[in-house]
């Protein structure tokens, strides 16, 4: 149906470029109707291959690409087939997989729904921080095993969130959101990010510390570092060794940011705990000892938008498309000079 509140001054020619499964999950009928109200688009046409003759016919007049997970790289050959292309609105987070150097050379304007995807990741992280400090997983496991009344204060005298120390590694979009969500709680929040000044860190609500100190004093340490060539294996054996016994490490960023071998050694020993929404590789081998570690919680990369949360991505993208149609700048632009620090 057409929404009367969405009346663009122009209806740019738009094309969907993403995996068909992505389109089915993110773009429900109402979203596609709103897309049709804002743009000149065939909401049934979804391109998951930008090299075919049919794709080239669709791209020939396209001014705007609406992309999502599974979009192929938009390289020079694709751009040659899309001479009128001016903008890309991505209905997900990172654009690294499909926005190429040729896009920036063309001068394309790019928007991403990373801010929307950051919300559930930050919520997941907050929940895990609070549960970890409360020793909920340890307690539940012990209670299930022993099945009797236990003096939990004696068993876990350090449990609880009051005045515990939470370390945040990197003030990414998600890292900043986590710090924001931590504000109402009686926690000491530390931050390490080489691109953030001490004043900026304190304005965010965190105390700036060095990387070694972040690992040495945190009760829970949450990793939010994007995976870049220089951050691969950043959380190395030496840093993991600095974690105090009983510390919980949370990773919702990328598995390869952490030295997987070193992490496995630490958690298998029982010295530290871990909550891993991402691993390296993405799905661990069936014989990985991490699967059977009682002090490790592994989830299958579910911290990001799932189920009903996908609509938040679509709504942000629709708002950006409306801005574009009205000749306004994007609210959530992606700029090439920032890519070196983005996921």
């Amino acid at each position: 149906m057409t929404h009367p509140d969405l009346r663009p001054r122009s209806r740019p020619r738009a094309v969907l470029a993403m995996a068909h499964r992505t389109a089915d999950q993110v773009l429900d009928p109402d979203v596609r109707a709103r897309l049709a109200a804002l743009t000149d688009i065939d909401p049934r046409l979804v391109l998951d291959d930008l090299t075919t003759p049919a794709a080239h016919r669709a791209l020939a007049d396209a001014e705007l690409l609406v992309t999502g997970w599974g979009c192929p790289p938009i390289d020079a050959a694709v751009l040659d087939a899309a001479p009128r292309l001016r903008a890309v609105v991505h209905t997900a987070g990172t654009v690294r997989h499909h926005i190429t150097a040729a896009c920036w050379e063309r001068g394309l304007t790019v928007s991403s729904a990373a801010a929307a995807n950051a919300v559930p990741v930050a919520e997941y992280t907050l929940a895990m921080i609070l549960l970890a400090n409360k020793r909920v997983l340890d307690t539940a496991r012990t209670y299930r095993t022993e099945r009797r009344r236990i003096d939990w204060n004696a068993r876990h005298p350090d449990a609880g969130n009051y005045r515990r120390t939470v370390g945040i590694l990197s003030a990414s979009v998600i890292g900043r959101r986590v710090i924001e969500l931590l504000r109402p709680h009686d926690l000491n929040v530390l931050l390490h990010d080489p691109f953030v000044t001490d004043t900026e860190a304190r304005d965010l609500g965190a105390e700036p510390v060095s990387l070694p100190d972040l690992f040495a004093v945190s009760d829970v340490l949450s990793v939010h570092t994007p995976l870049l060539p220089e951050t691969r294996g950043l959380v190395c054996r030496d840093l993991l060794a600095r974690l105090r016994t009983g510390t919980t490490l949370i990773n919702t960023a990328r598995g390869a940011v952490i030295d997987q071998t070193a992490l496995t050694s630490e958690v298998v020993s029982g010295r530290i705990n871990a909550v891993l929404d991402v691993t390296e590789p993405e799905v661990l081998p069936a014989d990985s000892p991490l699967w059977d570690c009682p002090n490790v919680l592994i989830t299958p990369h579910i911290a990001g938008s799932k189920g009903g949360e996908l609509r938040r991505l679509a709504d942000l993208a629709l708002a950006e498309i409306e801005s574009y149609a009205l000749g306004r700048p994007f609210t959530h632009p992606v700029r090439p000079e920032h890519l070196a620090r983005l996921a």
Side-chain angles (χ1 to χ4, degrees):
M1 69 183 203
T2 301
H3 289 239
D5 56 322
L6 300 179
R7 298 184 182 277
R9 295 174 188 170
S10 64
R11 295 176 70 243
R13 177 65 179 163
V15 175
L16 299 174
M18 60 189 73
H20 287 273
R21 183 176 65 176
T22 299
D24 292 340
Q25 294 177 348
V26 179
L27 309 178
D28 64 26
D30 180 62
V31 170
R32 296 192 196 215
R34 293 174 66 189
L35 272 172
L38 288 166
T39 66
D40 177 11
I41 191 171
D42 178 354
R44 299 164 300 176
L45 176 65
V46 179
L47 302 181
D48 60 1
D49 183 342
L50 301 180
T51 66
T52 67
H56 285 186
R57 287 193 295 272
L59 292 170
D61 296 323
E63 182 181 344
L64 171 68
L65 271 186
V66 181
T67 63
W69 291 304
C71 178
I74 305 171
D75 56 20
V78 173
L79 293 175
D80 287 343
R84 299 183 182 181
L85 187 63
R86 296 292 176 266
V88 177
V89 173
H90 190 47
T91 62
T94 182
V95 300
R96 284 185 171 274
H97 303 302
H98 67 294
I99 298 298
T100 67
C103 295
W104 304 120
E105 292 168 4
R106 165 75 73 87
L108 296 187
T109 304
V110 178
S111 171
S112 164
N117 197 48
V119 174
V121 181
E123 292 171 345
Y124 172 104
T125 303
L126 172 66
M128 293 302 173
I129 289 170
L130 298 179
L131 290 173
N133 276 331
K134 195 73 172 177
R135 301 293 291 271
V136 167
L137 297 178
D138 291 349
T139 301
R141 184 174 60 250
T142 301
Y143 195 34
R144 175 177 292 177
T145 300
E146 300 192 19
R147 305 185 184 191
R148 62 182 179 85
R149 187 180 299 278
I150 297 172
D151 183 344
W152 296 110
N153 285 328
R155 182 68 66 93
H156 298 308
D158 61 343
N161 283 285
Y162 184 57
R163 293 184 176 177
R164 301 305 294 277
T165 298
V166 177
I168 304 296
L169 180 54
S170 298
S172 60
V173 173
I174 296 169
R176 290 167 185 258
R177 181 76 175 182
V178 171
I179 293 171
E180 180 183 346
L181 293 180
L182 289 171
R183 285 175 188 163
H185 304 278
D186 292 316
L187 294 162
N188 302 315
V189 181
L190 309 179
L191 170 67
H192 176 77
D193 189 315
F195 298 102
V196 174
T197 67
D198 289 1
T199 299
E200 290 170 336
R202 294 188 178 102
D203 287 345
L204 288 172
E207 184 64 24
V209 295
S210 69
L211 186 58
D213 284 349
L214 186 77
F215 278 75
V217 302
S218 295
D219 296 303
V220 176
L221 195 149
S222 190
V223 178
H224 301 286
T225 304
L227 179 59
L228 307 169
E230 58 271 29
T231 63
R232 183 174 290 274
L234 171 68
V235 180
C236 60
R237 187 175 298 275
D238 177 66
L239 287 175
L240 290 170
R242 291 175 181 269
L243 293 172
R244 294 179 296 182
T245 298
T247 297
T248 298
L249 179 72
I250 300 173
N251 188 13
T252 58
R254 289 292 184 269
V257 171
I258 300 177
D259 179 334
Q260 191 81 58
T261 301
L263 175 64
T264 300
S265 296
E266 289 285 0
V267 297
V268 167
S269 75
R271 201 181 70 78
I272 66 171
N273 309 307
V275 176
L276 306 175
D277 189 52
V278 288
T279 55
E280 180 64 22
E282 181 71 40
V283 178
L284 291 171
D287 61 352
S288 170
L290 290 176
W291 288 117
D292 298 317
C293 281
N295 51 320
V296 178
L297 174 65
I298 302 174
T299 54
H301 206 160
I302 60 168
S305 299
K306 293 290 178 289
E309 295 165 338
L310 296 172
R311 183 57 185 264
R312 185 187 282 117
L313 304 178
D315 285 344
L316 185 148
L318 285 167
E320 293 290 72
I321 291 166
E322 181 182 14
S323 293
Y324 180 82
L326 293 172
R328 299 170 182 165
F330 287 140
T331 303
H332 301 280
V334 179
R335 296 188 174 90
E337 62 269 23
H338 295 160
L339 281 179
R341 287 188 258 165
L342 295 176

